[in-house]
Amino acid sequence: MSALHARSIAVVTGASRGVGRGIAEALGAAGMTVYVTGRSEREGDCRVGEARLGGTIHATAAAVTAAGGCGIAVQCDHADDAQVEALFERVGREQGRLDILVNNAIYIDDSLIEPGPFWTKPRSQARILDVGLRSSYIAAHCAAPLLLKSGHGLIAFTSSYGAGCYMHGPAYGAQKAGCDKMAADMAVDFEGTGVAAVSLWLGMQRTERTEVAARRRPDAYGGVGTRSESPQFTGRVIDALWRDPELASLSGQTHIVAELALRYGVRDEDGRQPPSWRATLGAPREYHPARVA
């Protein structure tokens, strides 16, 4: 493995709040320069039903800097390829390389956690396949040349146990399963370059959106705090993964964040060791080694 740069460069997509913000903040605490992308530039820009969610790209960038890194906010709608291209052109112009891309931007429809079959819910749920799956491919496509310049790069997809079991319906499941397969296939193309691609199954997250879900569906999401992970936990695991001298051997796989945390000795902020839900929700899929060019 080539020597790690003094100040590593990361891009975290969809980081105005929630999982993305926590990951960005943790990478900042590791001393990284973190480009924070998202659409929210003013408090209250995001709503879930009637509830306004706090968080902006500027607040996240400030949190990254306060944690010890350098946060850079970039307004970017990941449904717009031109804006994504401009983002990575800027990173290349300002930094000359990229060490970590966290593909986290995703469209979540307000109806996602409502009970009932998919045909009774809005077709807008399918937008998760545009911003969440396709957008991750475009970001990785734009980031790849910069990651190759680094010589030691990582693409991490934030995924879910929903890739392997029924969770929130077919659109959500297809997006998560697609990220897992995308990481596996990108890893094949990156072989021998020093760049790795992985997909990460996160446990239930303590985020602003989860708090709203707990109020709307206490039957399903009540008491989430005792069973959940902080987004910063995932960020610390990503940092440890990127620094792992055996990273190449982990490329192409889907990993459970809680299990990687045990490998690296990472605990959550409150000292807890979040559990793996493998026994309850299933294990990541192993793909066939056959290759057809």
Side-chain angles (χ1 to χ4, degrees):
M1 181 182 72
S2 58
L4 303 185
H5 301 285
R7 188 181 280 279
S8 304
I9 311 301
V11 170
V12 181
T13 71
S16 298
R17 62 189 61 81
V19 171
R21 173 174 173 141
I23 292 173
E25 189 174 349
L27 296 181
M32 298 189 188
T33 293
V34 185
Y35 285 78
V36 173
T37 79
R39 294 182 300 165
S40 296
E41 293 197 274
R42 297 175 301 177
E43 287 289 341
D45 278 354
C46 181
R47 289 174 175 265
V48 177
E50 296 301 315
R52 290 181 180 270
L53 297 185
T56 69
I57 53 174
H58 304 294
T60 299
V64 169
T65 301
C70 176
I72 301 173
V74 182
Q75 201 281 336
C76 180
D77 182 349
H78 282 269
D80 186 334
D81 291 0
Q83 292 187 37
V84 178
E85 291 169 2
L87 161 69
F88 288 100
E89 287 172 359
R90 175 177 172 179
V91 174
R93 186 170 62 250
E94 294 178 354
Q95 308 296 339
R97 71 175 204 282
L98 178 64
D99 299 302
I100 299 174
L101 166 63
V102 180
N103 268 323
N104 176 70
I106 191 170
Y107 171 80
I108 297 294
D109 193 87
D110 285 354
S111 66
L112 185 71
I113 64 170
E114 298 302 322
F118 75 91
W119 60 87
T120 66
K121 299 180 183 180
R123 293 179 185 173
S124 55
Q125 280 202 4
R127 288 183 59 193
I128 196 173
L129 303 177
D130 297 320
V131 180
L133 187 58
R134 183 185 181 279
S135 63
S136 293
Y137 181 89
I138 298 302
H141 190 278
C142 294
L146 295 173
L147 290 161
L148 291 169
K149 287 182 179 180
S150 172
H152 180 72
L154 172 65
I155 298 177
F157 296 82
T158 56
S159 187
S160 160
Y161 292 88
C165 70
Y166 183 92
M167 186 178 291
H168 304 320
Y172 182 87
Q175 188 269 332
K176 298 306 180 186
C179 285
D180 293 357
K181 186 60 164 63
M182 201 178 292
D185 289 354
M186 287 182 180
V188 172
D189 288 347
F190 279 127
E191 277 183 356
T193 67
V195 179
V198 301
S199 193
L200 301 175
W201 281 11
L202 283 59
M204 190 173 291
Q205 299 292 295
R206 292 196 294 273
T207 66
E208 303 90 340
R209 189 177 290 273
T210 307
E211 291 176 2
V212 173
R215 292 196 296 270
R216 289 172 57 187
R217 293 283 312 281
D219 57 316
Y221 299 99
V224 65
T226 61
R227 298 175 285 136
S228 61
E229 304 166 358
S230 74
Q232 290 82 0
F233 176 69
T234 297
R236 290 195 290 274
V237 168
I238 290 173
D239 174 57
L241 177 65
W242 178 70
R243 296 176 190 278
D244 189 338
E246 299 179 9
L247 176 60
S249 68
L250 303 176
S251 187
Q253 300 174 37
T254 297
H255 302 277
I256 295 172
V257 169
E259 295 177 2
L260 284 178
L262 289 173
R263 173 186 177 110
Y264 299 126
V266 175
R267 288 182 173 271
D268 212 340
E269 291 179 316
D270 53 9
R272 288 189 309 116
Q273 196 75 61
S276 167
W277 295 93
R278 177 187 291 263
T280 305
L281 299 177
R285 177 178 178 177
E286 293 186 11
Y287 297 103
H288 196 279
R291 297 182 180 184
V292 180

